Amino acid sequence: MLRPPALLPAVLLLLAVLSGCSSTPTDPTAHWSVQKIHSEAQDEMKGGAWDKAIPLLEKLEGRAAGTPLAQQAQLDKAYAEYKNGDRGMAIATLDRFMKLHPASPAYDYALYLKGLVNFNDDLGMFSWLSRQDLSERDQKAAKESFEAFKELTERFPDSRYTPDARQRMTYVVNALAMYEVHVARYYFDRGAYVAAVSRAQSAIADYRDVPANEEALYILVRSYEALGLTQLSEDAQRVLDASYPQSDYTKSGFKGKDNPWWKLW
């Protein structure tokens, strides 16, 4: 019986390795200058090709390491990831930037962008398509957004980003309060009046002078009434009348969602 030559396995292995090497994609940026990579990345971003800009910005950050351009590449990468829908990646990039460059003149922008990434994490901004607002969505991102904006306004009160951050903080506080009211209304609609009272009271106690308090007070009025606690219901009604003398809740009951409070922009 014929036997294959002893060298045949080694030859086959070498051919396989060579075949694998030939299929390895080449890096078109291998011989590009830092300036060319930067220019190409900027062009991709301007064209909205975020997925193409991200790898270019990663290369730019590595090749320009230790320079202001590398820092800018990090921030641009975070923005591109944010625009590309990669919220987790954008937050990770920003956290790394802030850890590596605590004295950067762009630190205020990093905080602002971090707040913005969470603020727009499908939280209901411009949500006329779904008719659902921030207060009805997951609250974790909203709270993280608030904390980033809060740090920005406290550390950099004169930053160009601070006025907008303050406005967004107001929105988030209103939304968090409204979340409590949504839960209270949920319990009320299901006849769980004690639970409805508890959540409405939490909204009033934790978030002062917000639009949600009007509905929270009305839920107290109706819940106490349903529980047969007439005196408490009347007390809550007096507070509602004094705080919101023209309240539509007193006149017409619960509101619909055609004109929600949260349309600030």
Side-chain angles (χ1 to χ4, degrees):
M1 181 169 67
L2 294 175
R3 299 184 178 219
L7 292 177
L8 185 56
V11 172
L12 293 175
L13 178 61
L14 178 61
L15 289 174
V17 171
L18 291 175
S19 175
C21 291
S22 64
S23 63
T24 302
T26 59
D27 181 2
T29 71
H31 303 292
W32 289 7
S33 66
V34 167
Q35 289 72 24
K36 180 172 175 57
I37 297 176
H38 179 251
S39 176
E40 291 292 328
Q42 292 300 309
D43 286 345
E44 297 292 4
M45 291 179 69
K46 289 176 183 176
W50 310 110
D51 58 328
K52 295 180 180 178
I54 291 170
L56 290 172
L57 292 166
E58 289 175 344
K59 292 181 183 299
L60 179 59
E61 181 187 348
R63 296 189 193 178
T67 69
L69 186 57
Q71 294 186 30
Q72 185 61 51
Q74 266 188 286
L75 292 174
D76 286 346
K77 177 172 170 280
Y79 183 76
E81 289 167 336
Y82 156 58
K83 296 295 288 184
N84 200 45
D86 301 325
R87 185 186 70 85
M89 294 297 295
I91 294 297
T93 299
L94 289 167
D95 285 343
R96 185 164 64 90
F97 173 88
M98 290 186 282
K99 181 178 180 180
L100 292 174
H101 311 291
S104 171
Y107 199 96
D108 61 334
Y109 172 72
L111 283 171
Y112 177 73
L113 183 55
K114 184 175 181 179
L116 197 63
V117 170
N118 281 315
F119 186 81
N120 282 310
D121 180 33
D122 193 28
L123 295 177
M125 294 307 300
F126 314 111
S127 60
W128 52 273
L129 289 174
S130 65
R131 308 303 298 169
Q132 196 171 33
D133 65 84
L134 166 62
S135 60
E136 296 173 300
R137 305 291 183 91
D138 174 46
Q139 301 303 292
K140 183 175 181 292
K143 292 176 180 178
E144 291 176 353
S145 175
F146 181 88
E147 289 303 317
F149 288 140
K150 181 181 178 183
E151 184 177 353
L152 167 62
T153 59
E154 290 177 349
R155 292 184 56 182
F156 305 97
D158 298 324
S159 169
R160 59 183 291 194
Y161 306 107
T162 293
D164 185 67
R166 287 199 177 103
Q167 186 178 12
R168 292 176 188 274
M169 285 171 67
T170 299
Y171 174 93
V172 172
V173 169
N174 286 340
L176 291 172
M178 200 63 205
Y179 172 75
E180 292 295 323
V181 174
H182 275 300
V183 176
R185 174 74 179 275
Y186 173 87
Y187 286 132
F188 176 83
D189 288 342
R190 284 153 184 78
Y193 302 119
V194 173
V197 166
S198 177
R199 295 309 285 257
Q201 288 176 335
S202 293
I204 295 169
D206 295 341
Y207 306 99
R208 299 183 181 279
D209 301 321
V210 295
N213 284 352
E214 182 181 359
E215 185 174 357
L217 284 167
Y218 184 68
I219 290 173
L220 286 180
V221 171
R222 294 289 304 277
S223 296
Y224 284 138
E225 181 182 17
L227 290 168
L229 301 174
T230 305
Q231 185 61 54
L232 290 175
S233 177
E234 292 176 353
D235 289 344
Q237 184 66 58
R238 278 193 289 272
V239 175
L240 177 60
D241 292 340
S243 302
Y244 306 95
Q246 303 299 322
S247 176
D248 289 335
Y249 289 102
T250 299
K251 298 175 183 177
S252 309
F254 288 110
K255 296 179 182 179
K257 292 190 178 182
D258 291 336
N259 294 294
W261 63 268
W262 45 268
K263 289 191 174 181
L264 301 182
W265 281 267

